[in-house]
Amino acid sequence: MKIVIGAPNNGVVLKDAIKTYLQADSRVSEVIDLSEDTKTYPAVSLEAARMIADGSAERGILICGTGIGTAIVASKVRGVRAATAHDLFSVRGAVENYNAQILCMGQAVIAPPAAIALIDQWLDARHDPASAYGQKVLEIDAYEAEHLS
């Protein structure tokens, strides 16, 4: 799985820990780090989301102070769903229920060891279109197709 990762300065410590973990994980074929000292969270979030939308990466992880700003921005890109999650139930649900391609976390909210434990579960999570949430995701997709350019 090809994963894009990124963070502004207030997320770099957590991002670096996660990146190191991902690079050593056999489930991950490539880690693309978009972080630069001068990039804001909107810039890195939009770049990552566009990579997901165009198929350059399968999933993404974005880190900022809370994970909320990156999720808001990344979700502005058509076809992309980003979710902020800091617990197992939310991490798995983001993918399994809502087919979120981007996981957002906050460096001020979660410690690296806890985040890595959640990412371990996130890497195995898959959305099942035949699940009870499958139809709801299709409703979201239909709205997006009709109303968003």
Side-chain angles (χ1 to χ4, degrees):
M1 175 183 323
K2 188 183 288 189
I3 297 176
V4 61
I5 191 168
N9 288 334
N10 66 337
V12 74
V13 171
L14 181 58
K15 185 268 304 178
D16 285 345
I18 292 169
K19 179 181 173 182
T20 298
Y21 172 77
L22 293 172
Q23 288 173 323
D25 193 294
S26 63
R27 296 169 288 184
V28 179
S29 60
E30 183 179 356
V31 179
I32 304 162
D33 187 350
L34 302 176
S35 306
E36 293 177 15
D37 288 343
T38 58
K39 279 190 185 173
T40 62
Y41 80 86
V44 74
S45 301
L46 288 170
E47 186 176 354
R50 285 191 298 266
M51 289 182 73
I52 298 292
D54 74 16
S56 299
E58 296 167 70
R59 287 197 190 169
I61 299 173
L62 295 170
I63 310 296
C64 66
T66 63
I68 296 168
T70 58
I72 290 170
V73 175
S75 292
K76 299 294 183 191
V77 174
R78 186 179 181 145
V80 174
R81 285 173 296 282
T84 302
H86 296 101
D87 61 82
L88 181 57
F89 188 74
S90 300
V91 165
R92 291 186 67 85
V95 177
E96 292 174 357
N97 297 338
Y98 307 108
N99 200 20
Q101 308 101 317
I102 299 178
L103 175 62
C104 301
M105 293 181 149
Q107 180 171 290
V109 179
I110 191 167
I116 288 167
L118 295 176
I119 288 171
D120 179 58
Q121 296 294 311
W122 177 78
L123 288 169
D124 287 333
R126 299 290 180 272
H127 175 69
D128 179 1
S131 73
Y133 283 89
Q135 186 58 41
K136 295 171 182 100
V137 170
L138 290 176
E139 283 182 55
I140 296 166
D141 291 345
Y143 178 87
E144 187 177 56
E146 184 177 338
H147 298 286
L148 302 178
S149 56

